[in-house]
Amino acid sequence: MDTKIGSIDACKPSNGDVGSPPSGAVATIHDSVPSSAISVAPSEATLGRHLARRLVQAGVTDIFSVPGDFNLTLLDHLIAEPELKNIGCCNELNAGYAADGYARSRGVGACVVTFTVGGLSVLNAIAGAYSENLPVICIVGGPNSNDFGTNRILHHTIGLPDFSQELRCFQTVTCHQAVVNNLEDAHEQIDKAIATALKESKPVYISISCNLAATPHPTFIRDPVPFSLTPRLSNKMGLEAAVEATLEFLNRAVKPVMVGGVKLRVAKASDAFVDLADASGYAMAVMPSAKGLVPEHHPHFIGTYWGAVSTPFCAEIVESADAYIFAGPIFNDYSSVGYSLLLKKEKAIIVHPDRVTVSNGQTFGCVLMSDFFTELAKRVKRNETAYENYHRIFVPEGKPLKCKPKEPLRVNAMFQHIQKMLSSETAVIAETGDSWFNCQKLKLPKGCGYEFQMQYGSIGWSVGATLGYAQAVPEKRVLAFIGDGSFQVTAQDVSTMLRNGQKTIIFLINNGGYTIEVEIHDGPYNVIKNWNYTGLVDAIHNGEGKCWTTKVRYEEELEEAIKTATTEKKDSLCFIEVIVHKDDTSKELLEWGSRVAAANGRPPNPQ
C-alpha cells in the first residue's frame, strides 16, 4: 500500500505528456486541423505571431498590456493576430491584476509588460496569482539578444551589466521561466512555458528579446507539432486504498460533514464534490475562499465555515461533527481566524488535489481529488444526520432595521438591497476589507460568479481583477465592492473599463480609511485623505464612453441609484459612492480583527 505523499511528477502519465485540462477529457492547445495542413504566410511566420497563436489556442483572447520600448514590436505582432485583442492598461500592477481576474473566469490569462521597470511593477500581481493557483502568462519584452553576455549597461536596469535581476525576482513567484534570446528553440520554450502554466495552474514568465519578435524562422512556417496536454492519472491501487480507508473512517462516524476549500478550483473537482454531497447526504459547507466554487442552492448547503465568523449555525455543525472531509483547504491565519478553529486532526480527512490524508493515519499519494470523490460517491453510505441537526437548530436570519428617512445609510441595510440584485447574469468581486465579510453573507443564486483574493489579500486587487473578469465574461454584469482605501491604490484602470465598454457596477464604500486595518490595530496611519470619488471618475470619463456616477448617503438614495443602474443605465459603467460612518463595520470583521490581532501580537517564544 502506497502511503507516501505523491509528487506531481509521480502522477504524470507514462507517455510523458504534461498538463491538466479544464475537464476530465484530454485537451490540447492546438486547433483540430492537423499540423501538416496548416500553412502560415511568411509575413506571419514570426516569433511574435507564433506566441499570439499559442495564446489563442490556450484560451486567451485578450491580453492586458502596458507598452515600453522593449515590447513595442512584440505588441505589433501580438495584435496582428485576429483573435487576440489588446487591452491597454494604465499601469503594470493593474495589468497583472486584470490577467488574474481573467484567469479566474477563462482558466488562463496573460499580460505583456516591458523589461524590469514593467516586470518589477507587475511582480506583486503575479505573486498574488501564484498564491491563488492561477495560470497567468507574464510576457516581458526583453533586451536585444546581442546584448546578452556583454558588459553593456542598459536603460530600465539598476545600472549593472547583469540582466538577470528581473528573472531572479520572478523565479520565486512563477512555476517556470523562459528567456527567449535565440530563435532555434523559441517555439519549444514558448510551448513548454504555456503548457507548464496550464499543468501546474501557476503563473509563468516568458521574456522575449526585443529584436526577435518580428523575425521569421522555419519553425514558424507551419505550426510545430502540437503540444499535447493530457490529464494526470490517479494510481489505481492508491486510489482504491484511499477510498477503502476513508469509507472505514466515515462508516464509524455518526454525523459527518464535508467542507469545500479553494483548491477545488485547481483540482477541477467542484462537480465531483457536489456529486459526493448528493450521494452521501452530508451537510456541505465551504471555506470563505471557496465561495462561488460550490452551488449554494444545493439542498444540503449550510453556508460558509470560517470559525468564529462563520455564517449562522454553520460552525456549530462543522465543529461538532465527528468526521469532516476538507476538500482542498488552506488553513492560514486569516482563514483560521487567528488559528482559532475548533477542529481536531483525528476527525479530519484532508483531500488535496493529488493526495488524501485520513485522520492521523496514512497519506495516499498520486490520488487525484476528482477521482477520489467520484469513487467515494459510488460506495459511501448515506448519512443525513448533520444536515438534519442543522435544519433542526436553524433560525432564519433577521433583517436589519430599515433606515429612517434621511438617516445615515448603514452597511447591513445596504447589502439587503445588493442581495436582490444577484442573478445568474451577475458576478461579485469583493475587495480585501469589510467587503470580504459582507459579501460572504450574500446568498449566490445559480450561475452567479464570485471572486475575492483571500490568500494574498493585496488591497487594490479588485479594480484590475474586475477589469479582467468583466472582459472575460462580457455577458455577465460584474458588481464590485471596493473600499475607499483600496480604490486609491489602483483607481486609474476605471479608465480602461470605460475604454472597453464594460458595464460593471462599482460600489465604492467610503468610510474614511483602512477599516480592516483599524480592527486589527488602529493608528493615525489608517486615516486617508478623502477624495471626491465621483468627481474623479467623471474626470476619467471625460465624455468618452458610457458612464454614470452618483453619491448616496441614505437608504432611499441607494434604492434609487440601484434602480437607475439596472434600468436606464444598464448598458453603462455605473459608479455608486456609498458614504457610511467610519465605524460602521460588520460584526464579523470586529470578531475576526481582534483574533487576528491576538495572533499577530503573540510574544516571542522563550529562548
Side-chain angles (χ1 to χ4, degrees):
M1 180 182 298
D2 179 10
T3 60
K4 296 180 180 178
I5 298 175
S7 69
I8 290 177
D9 287 339
C11 297
K12 285 197 292 188
S14 58
N15 65 5
D17 290 341
V18 295
S20 179
S23 60
V26 174
T28 55
I29 55 168
H30 62 89
D31 295 328
S32 58
V33 181
S35 175
S36 60
I38 299 175
S39 295
V40 177
S43 62
E44 299 178 4
T46 64
L47 190 157
R49 289 301 298 272
H50 171 73
L51 175 58
R53 287 193 297 272
R54 281 309 199 218
L55 290 173
V56 170
Q57 291 163 355
V60 174
T61 57
D62 304 88
I63 55 171
F64 301 91
S65 71
V66 177
D69 61 327
F70 284 123
N71 71 12
L72 298 178
T73 303
L74 175 61
L75 285 171
D76 286 339
H77 287 260
L78 292 175
I79 64 177
E81 168 59 46
E83 296 180 63
L84 195 61
K85 181 179 180 180
N86 180 56
I87 309 296
C89 296
C90 297
N91 59 57
E92 292 87 358
L93 180 61
N94 275 335
Y97 286 153
D100 170 313
Y102 192 92
R104 289 167 184 267
S105 176
R106 286 287 186 90
V108 60
C111 58
V112 184
V113 299
T114 196
F115 182 58
T116 307
V117 291
L120 298 190
S121 290
V122 80
L123 192 67
N124 187 53
I126 300 302
Y130 188 95
S131 74
E132 301 277 325
N133 297 291
L134 298 170
V136 170
I137 301 164
C138 182
I139 302 162
V140 176
N144 187 294
S145 62
N146 297 305
D147 291 329
F148 284 87
T150 69
N151 285 322
R152 294 176 182 143
I153 295 176
L154 297 181
H155 68 288
H156 289 346
T157 70
I158 59 171
L160 298 176
D162 176 8
F163 305 155
S164 66
Q165 180 197 23
E166 178 185 81
L167 171 64
R168 294 197 306 272
C169 291
F170 274 94
Q171 283 173 339
T172 58
V173 296
T174 57
C175 67
H176 183 83
Q177 305 83 38
V179 177
V180 180
N181 54 20
N182 72 83
L183 292 173
E184 298 302 320
D185 63 350
H187 73 279
E188 294 178 14
Q189 286 212 65
I190 289 169
D191 281 6
K192 184 175 182 181
I194 293 175
T196 304
L198 299 176
K199 170 194 171 187
E200 304 291 349
S201 197
K202 293 281 191 183
V204 295
Y205 165 87
I206 303 175
S207 173
I208 306 285
S209 286
C210 60
N211 60 324
L212 299 185
T215 309
H217 191 268
T219 55
F220 307 137
I221 298 297
R222 296 178 183 272
D223 272 9
V225 175
F227 211 108
S228 179
L229 297 175
T230 57
R232 299 188 183 109
L233 302 174
S234 293
N235 177 286
K236 290 184 179 179
M237 292 180 63
L239 175 61
E240 176 62 23
V243 171
E244 287 286 350
T246 301
L247 288 171
E248 181 182 351
F249 184 80
L250 292 175
N251 288 341
R252 294 197 303 266
V254 176
K255 44 185 179 179
V257 299
M258 50 196 295
V259 183
V262 67
K263 290 188 179 180
L264 280 170
R265 187 205 301 269
V266 65
K268 300 176 176 64
S270 293
D271 290 344
F273 182 78
V274 174
D275 289 344
L276 176 59
D278 291 336
S280 66
Y282 295 171
M284 177 178 70
V286 292
M287 297 180 73
S289 52
K291 187 176 178 69
L293 299 181
V294 170
E296 298 188 5
H297 61 277
H298 190 279
H300 281 191
F301 183 76
I302 64 170
T304 298
Y305 173 65
W306 199 352
V309 295
S310 301
T311 53
F313 307 102
C314 182
E316 291 82 353
I317 295 300
V318 171
E319 294 178 346
S320 67
D322 52 354
Y324 14 77
I325 301 173
F326 277 89
I330 294 179
F331 295 110
N332 62 22
D333 51 341
Y334 276 15
S335 66
S336 67
V337 197
Y339 311 113
S340 66
L341 301 182
L342 301 178
L343 300 174
K344 296 183 178 179
K345 187 177 179 182
E346 60 268 21
K347 295 182 180 181
I349 298 167
I350 307 296
V351 187
H352 293 289
D354 62 353
R355 67 186 187 276
V356 178
T357 300
V358 180
S359 185
N360 282 324
Q362 298 168 320
T363 294
F364 302 89
C366 211
V367 175
L368 300 187
M369 185 188 292
S370 57
D371 293 343
F372 175 73
F373 287 146
T374 298
E375 290 302 312
L376 196 61
K378 295 175 183 177
R379 296 155 60 179
V380 69
K381 289 183 180 178
R382 193 166 183 84
N383 185 338
E384 300 188 16
T385 303
Y387 181 74
E388 290 169 354
N389 287 346
Y390 171 79
H391 187 70
R392 193 174 293 116
I393 67 171
F394 180 77
V395 177
E397 196 171 355
K399 292 184 178 181
L401 295 174
K402 187 173 178 63
C403 297
K404 298 175 182 177
K406 298 300 180 179
E407 177 189 353
L409 179 61
R410 298 189 309 273
V411 172
N412 59 10
M414 167 187 167
F415 275 89
Q416 292 294 306
H417 296 284
I418 301 301
Q419 180 66 62
K420 300 171 186 175
M421 299 177 69
L422 303 185
S423 72
S424 61
E425 297 177 347
T426 60
V428 173
I429 303 287
E431 175 60 83
T432 300
D434 201 22
S435 292
W436 275 5
F437 303 94
N438 290 306
C439 291
Q440 277 292 329
K441 292 182 281 189
L442 294 172
K443 295 174 175 60
L444 303 182
K446 183 178 181 180
C448 181
Y450 186 93
E451 297 292 345
F452 79 128
Q453 191 195 52
M454 179 151 200
Q455 173 60 37
Y456 201 57
S458 183
I459 65 168
W461 161 86
S462 64
V463 176
T466 295
L467 165 65
Y469 192 97
Q471 192 65 30
V473 280
E475 66 274 12
K476 284 187 183 289
R477 195 164 197 195
V478 178
L479 311 180
F481 299 89
I482 309 175
D484 50 348
S486 295
F487 187 71
Q488 289 193 7
V489 178
T490 51
Q492 304 98 307
D493 272 281
V494 170
S495 170
T496 311
M497 298 177 195
L498 284 167
R499 192 178 183 186
N500 288 278
Q502 295 184 359
K503 54 185 180 181
T504 295
I505 304 177
I506 296 174
F507 289 90
L508 187 286
I509 301 171
N510 183 350
N511 53 15
Y514 298 121
T515 302
I516 191 170
E517 313 291 1
V518 167
E519 302 308 332
I520 295 174
H521 184 97
D522 200 5
Y525 32 75
N526 289 324
V527 179
I528 63 175
K529 171 71 173 69
N530 190 39
W531 289 2
N532 180 354
Y533 294 98
T534 55
L536 173 66
V537 174
D538 287 338
I540 292 172
H541 175 213
N542 198 28
E544 299 176 12
K546 296 181 179 180
C547 181
W548 177 74
T549 67
T550 189
K551 295 179 189 285
V552 300
R553 293 177 174 83
Y554 313 114
E555 187 171 7
E556 54 267 34
E557 291 180 343
L558 175 68
E559 291 179 274
E560 187 60 32
I562 290 174
K563 180 181 178 182
T564 300
T566 53
T567 53
E568 59 189 273
K569 298 297 182 181
K570 61 183 174 60
D571 294 322
S572 300
L573 186 143
C574 297
F575 185 90
I576 301 174
E577 180 183 351
V578 183
I579 299 170
V580 297
H581 192 277
K582 68 181 182 66
D583 294 324
D584 186 358
T585 67
S586 64
K587 72 179 185 64
E588 289 81 8
L589 175 56
L590 297 175
E591 176 74 28
W592 179 89
S594 62
R595 289 174 183 256
V596 170
N600 288 349
R602 288 167 295 161
N605 291 327
Q607 298 298 318

